[in-house]
Amino acid sequence: MKIYSTSSMFVVAVITASLFSLGWILLGGNDTPEKADPATLAKGKTLYDDICATCHGINGNGDGVLAANLQTKPRNFTSGTFKFRSTLSGQLPTDEDLSITIKSGTHSTAMTTFETFSPQQIWALVQYIKTFSPRFSDSNEYPLKTISYGNEIPFTRESIAKGRKAYVEMQCNKCHGDAGEGDGPSAESLVDNWGDPIQPSDLTNLSALKFATSPAEIFRTFATGLDGTPMPSYSGAMPDSAMWELADYVYSLQTHQGYYEPIRVEETK
Ligand code: HEC
Ligand code: HEC
């Protein structure tokens, strides 16, 4: 009996310790401001000045020499506002979010992929671009809260049809249009936070999309919203299962396969 209880106590201790360290790994850097060492920041600055400043500007203002000729302007890093995040609307992106952007770029814009950088180089760039906005060192901005995905559902004709209803109920069509082509009644004259004109995406044109090219990425896009743009956040606006149905419908628009063709409003009435 005594041996039994000692060993179960040991098991409990091991499980507790592993959960604790798992939690620590998952939350590392998102709980408090990350303090990068001077050598990392110096490395990040050298890379940034050489490669990124032509677009993003030497001081991170988004005013590099190439900026004037670009239709989608390079991000101004000083306000700490980012489109691509896993965090709730209005929050800073995680370090991981920023490294994904640098590695993968944003498709269909001048922000290309930087896949050849080593993980250390990406890390140094992430830490350096964070120095442009005081928000990243303000402990009031933390902990960062990431969106919850719930359980992904199977991609079926039924999920698409339900998602189509959510698309109309949530009034996505006001901006993105009834068939998702980016031509809804509110699409005209939208501007972003930096004062530049912006169009709702044509959700049927895969090659024009920036990030949202899988149901999970579509889910993330409308859950977090694209901060700095009129694209709102819908986190908590409907149950997770309805969010997945909507993601499936939007995915069906961009994949154009067989019965995943756009379902027009007339058909669902
Ligand atoms: C040729 C121009 C160009 C270069 C070079 C460039 N960028 Fe960008 N970058 C852009 C543009 C344009 C955007 C805006 C994309 C958008 O708003 O959809 C952007 C956006 C970003 C974003 C923000 C995405 C978001 O979530 O809002 C980050 C982070 C970023 N760039 C980092 C970098 C880093 C780091 C480098 C250098 C390794 C770099 N960029 C080099 C043009 C460039
Ligand atoms: C007030 C207008 C508005 C509404 C309402 C709106 N969007 Fe958007 N949406 C935008 C704009 C503007 C963009 C383009 C942002 C950009 O290019 O950076 C966008 C972009 C997107 C993208 C593409 C991002 C990418 O990877 O290129 C998806 C997916 C999307 N919206 C889905 C939705 C869904 C689903 C809804 C409804 C739940 C919705 N939107 C409601 C304005 C809107």
Side-chain angles (χ1 to χ4, degrees), residues 83 166-167 170-176 186 190 198-201 203 208-213 218 221-222 226 229-232 234 238 246 250 254:
K83 294 182 185 180
Y167 181 82
M170 292 290 145
Q171 305 190 341
C172 311
N173 51 347
K174 285 226 163 131
C175 288
H176 291 285
S186 310
L190 293 177
I198 190 163
Q199 279 291 310
S201 317
L203 301 173
L209 292 171
K210 295 179 176 174
F211 327 96
T213 55
I218 295 166
T221 301
F222 66 77
L226 298 176
T229 84
M231 172 64 206
Y234 294 85
M238 51 194 140
L246 178 54
V250 174
Q254 62 179 248

Side-chain angles (χ1 to χ4, degrees), residues 180-181 201-210 213 253-256:
E181 288 163 349
S201 317
D202 176 351
L203 301 173
T204 68
N205 182 359
L206 182 56
S207 59
L209 292 171
K210 295 179 176 174
T213 55
L253 297 175
Q254 62 179 248
T255 47
H256 297 288

Side-chain angles (χ1 to χ4, degrees), residues 87-128:
T87 56
L88 296 184
S89 178
Q91 292 203 338
L92 293 169
T94 66
D95 288 358
E96 176 67 13
D97 293 338
L98 291 172
S99 24
I100 292 173
T101 304
I102 300 170
K103 259 185 287 187
S104 323
T106 54
H107 313 292
S108 83
T109 76
M111 178 64 202
T112 51
T113 58
F114 291 99
E115 278 163 313
T116 51
F117 285 162
S118 69
Q120 291 77 15
Q121 286 175 313
I122 303 238
W123 177 248
L125 278 165
V126 166
Q127 298 311 324
Y128 184 65

Side-chain angles (χ1 to χ4, degrees), residues 47-48 51-56 66 70 72-75 77 81-85 98 101-102 106 109-112 114 117 125 129 210-211:
L47 280 168
Y48 180 89
I51 301 162
C52 321
T54 45
C55 286
H56 291 283
L66 296 182
L70 296 176
T72 302
K73 299 297 175 199
R75 183 70 57 258
F77 294 128
T81 303
F82 289 87
K83 294 182 185 180
F84 179 87
R85 305 173 333 278
L98 291 172
T101 304
I102 300 170
T106 54
T109 76
M111 178 64 202
T112 51
F114 291 99
F117 285 162
L125 278 165
I129 61 174
K210 295 179 176 174
F211 327 96

Side-chain angles (χ1 to χ4, degrees), residues 225-264:
L226 298 176
D227 283 3
T229 84
M231 172 64 206
S233 150
Y234 294 85
S235 177
M238 51 194 140
D240 287 341
S241 55
M243 303 269 281
W244 280 111
E245 287 156 3
L246 178 54
D248 281 359
Y249 171 68
V250 174
Y251 186 63
S252 79
L253 297 175
Q254 62 179 248
T255 47
H256 297 288
Q257 12 166 336
Y259 63 81
Y260 306 135
E261 279 290 307
I263 307 162
R264 308 237 166 209

